[in-house]
Each structure stands twice: as structure tokens, then as C-alpha cells.
Amino acid sequence: MDQVKTDPRIIRTRKLIMDTFIDLSGKKEFKDITVKDITTEAMINRATFYYHFEDIYDLLDKVLSEVLLVNLKSEVYEKEEINEQSLTSIFKAITNFQMSLSNRCHRGYEDTIARIIRDQLEVLLYKMLLKQHQVKEDESLKVAAVMLSWGIYGASVEWRRNSQDATPEEYIKSAIPYILKGIE
Amino acid sequence: MDQVKTDPRIIRTRKLIMDTFIDLSGKKEFKDITVKDITTEAMINRATFYYHFEDIYDLLDKVLSEVLLVNLKSEVYEKEEINEQSLTSIFKAITNFQMSLSNRCHRGYEDTIARIIRDQLEVLLYKMLLKQHQVKEDESLKVAAVMLSWGIYGASVEWRRNSQDATPEEYIKSAIPYILKGIE
DNA sequence: GTAATTATGTTGGATATCCAACACAAGAAT
DNA sequence: ATTCTTGTGTTGGATATCCAACATAATTAC
């Protein structure tokens, strides 16, 4: 209701910075990208960068969150329940997202990326759980969301490490019933 | 020497507007493009548009001039003399430019476009003539540039109308000696 | 090692851009 | 004819962005 419109310059500038960063990260590794590189390419002042982001890690964080959010199409899932189908879709989205990242050579930032993924997952799963149980907030559901997010993320790691001969769906299928029993 | 740097925001904003305009003019006819269309798409305020351009015709003027300038690679030609080779290249550039325009359906603006082309040509040719005759300025050379620009432009119109079975080079080749005799 | 260069953040004052509002014109809808 | 809508240009005050300068850390060069 009381949402104050954000200044269009802010939207435009953030988009410029983020797009430029994504663009650059396709050309060189994250560790070789400087703030100056980004601002020069994006045609904005360096001071303006710091007006929007704490530092380059903050930018990485926000860019990845946004990309992941698109992958998760969360506006769709938020309205759904947690069941075999939605869980499988989410798992697919996560593995998909990680595969797209591994092409971009963000070596040394696996921890950061992992945290971002789990954070986003957790928020999404918590919303779905709340909806499913018809409550406004609930601490135990929050913890459940934490555990589910770690579980899904961990499964995606293990899948990448061991089982890429199976599809993500196949890999996770047999485990899902046990998970679902816990939260129903 | 005393060139004052233009504010980066100006460069960025003008580029945004011009690129958006070029983009839109590939999707609909010029007469259907409004200032609001452009500013919305470019994510800038309408008032900002008027800070940079008098109106949409002024924008058309500047966009076409710039595109044409690139076609003419004038920074190259400015240093050359007017001879068979450079005249042919320029003629090719003009016909090329007009062909690319005709795909974009600017029906009803042929006069505007013609004026822009001749203006740019005239400036370029005048510079080349000055260089060739080793003077700083000269009224009769200016008039010569006017006539040459009209001549080249007219030839390009006639070529488009009648002789597209000949290449631009072939079309203009036999006439060039007569032109060159006049200015040498 | 140490000098020289390059990147990071921060600040105060200058400038481009935004917003809301206005008057006006042109076309479409009823 | 008359609303109604949509686009054009313009203005004054608010805000994001720029610039120049600075201190500091990190890298590179010698």
C-alpha cells in the first residue's frame, strides 16, 4: 500500500551495473574484475557504484540472488504447495543454476554462492510452508525451511559430484517421499 | 586545447536515447514513434529528452548524421585528397546509407534525410578541399563543396531510381574525370 | 626491500536528471 | 459539438549522479 516509488535513476543505474557485471563475468574470472572495470564499462562514476553497493561482493550477492530468483520463478512457486512436483522443479532449477555458474569460472567463491542459494531457497520454502499450513508465521516452520534448503542444496552438490549420469529428477525422485512425510 | 570535458551523464543519456530511437525505428515507422515511447523504453524522464533535443525531428537529424558519419568514416577521408578513389568510396558510402534507410520505412521524410546527407557531405568535402589547397578558409571552395555535395547526392538518387543493375562504382566511374578536372 | 603504480572506499560541492504540475494541441469516442 | 484521451513542450524544486581530492591498502616493478 504505502510503497514509495523508487527513483528511475536508481533502477536504471543498478541495471546498468548488474548487466555490465554479468557481461564482464562472461569474459574474465570474478577475481580479476575490479570496480573500476565495471563502472568504466557501464559509463557511471565509481562513487555512484558505492552509493548502490557496499563493495564488489555485495554486487555479486545481489546479482546471483536475482539470477537465481528468475531461475526459481518464485512468483509462481510461492503460490504452490510443497509436493513431489514442486520440489522436483525447484531441485531442477538449482542444479540448472549451478551448471550455468560453473561455466563462468567463479573459482574460490563456492562458499559465497552456496550461501546465496540456500538463503534464497530458505525464503521461498518458508513462504510455501506458511501458505500450506495457513499461518502468518511460525518458528518451527522456519527451522524446517532451513533444513529443507540445506537438504536440497546438499543434494544438488552431491548430484554434481557423483551422479550426473542420472537426471536431476531421477536422482531426487526416490528421496522425496521421505522428505514429504516429514513436513506434511 | 581548451576542450571542456562533457559530463559523462550527457554522453550516456544521449547514447541511451539515440540507441533506443534506432531500435524503435526498426520496429515501427518514424511517424508512429512518440517522445514518450522513446523515453519510456530508454528509462529516462521526458523532460530530460527536451534537455538534449529540441524535438523528435532534431533527434532524427542527429541520429542520421551520426550514422552517416560512421558510414563515411570521415576521420579517415578528412585527411585524404579528392580523387577518383576517395570520391568513389564516398559515393558507395552514400548509396549504402540510403539503402539501409529504405528498409526502415521513413516514408515522408525523404526531404529531411536528403538535407542531412548533403549537409554532412558538404562539411566533409569542404574540409578535404581546404586540405588539398592548403588554405584555412575560402568562399569559392565552400561553394564548390556545396555543388559537389548536391552532385554526389543527386547521382545517388538517380542510381537508386534507374541503374541498380550497375554497381555504384560502375555508375559513377565515367563521370568522375569530368568532376575532378573542375576542382584540380 | 622499497618505490611506483593501481584499486578501494569516502567526502562536499557541482550538475544532470527526475517529478509534478501546468498550458496547449490533435484525434477519438460518444 | 463535447468530452476524453494522448502527446507536446516548459518550469521550479528535489534527488541521483558526477568530480576532484584524499587516505589507505594491495600489487607490481626494479
Side-chain angles (χ1 to χ4, degrees), chain A residues 7 9 13 43-45 48 51-52:
Chain A
D7 193 303
R9 282 171 287 186
T13 300
M43 295 202 287
I44 60 123
N45 193 277
T48 306
Y51 181 89
H52 294 282

Side-chain angles (χ1 to χ4, degrees), chain B residues 120-181:
Chain B
Q120 292 291 122
L121 258 184
E122 183 184 322
V123 170
L124 174 61
L125 292 168
Y126 183 48
K127 282 181 188 163
M128 293 172 78
L129 284 172
L130 287 180
K131 167 122 184 23
Q132 197 153 353
H133 290 257
Q134 314 254 14
V135 289
K136 282 276 179 210
E137 51 184 318
D138 183 308
E139 275 308 314
S140 54
L141 286 183
K142 192 168 278 181
V143 176
V146 169
M147 297 184 66
L148 277 174
S149 68
W150 275 84
I152 294 175
Y153 174 75
S156 79
V157 171
E158 295 304 324
W159 174 76
R160 292 216 303 155
R161 188 176 294 153
N162 303 320
S163 313
Q164 292 203 25
D165 45 336
T167 67
E169 289 95 324
E170 292 164 353
Y171 178 75
I172 206 174
K173 190 171 197 305
S174 58
I176 286 186
Y178 296 103
I179 304 296
L180 288 178
K181 262 194 207 126

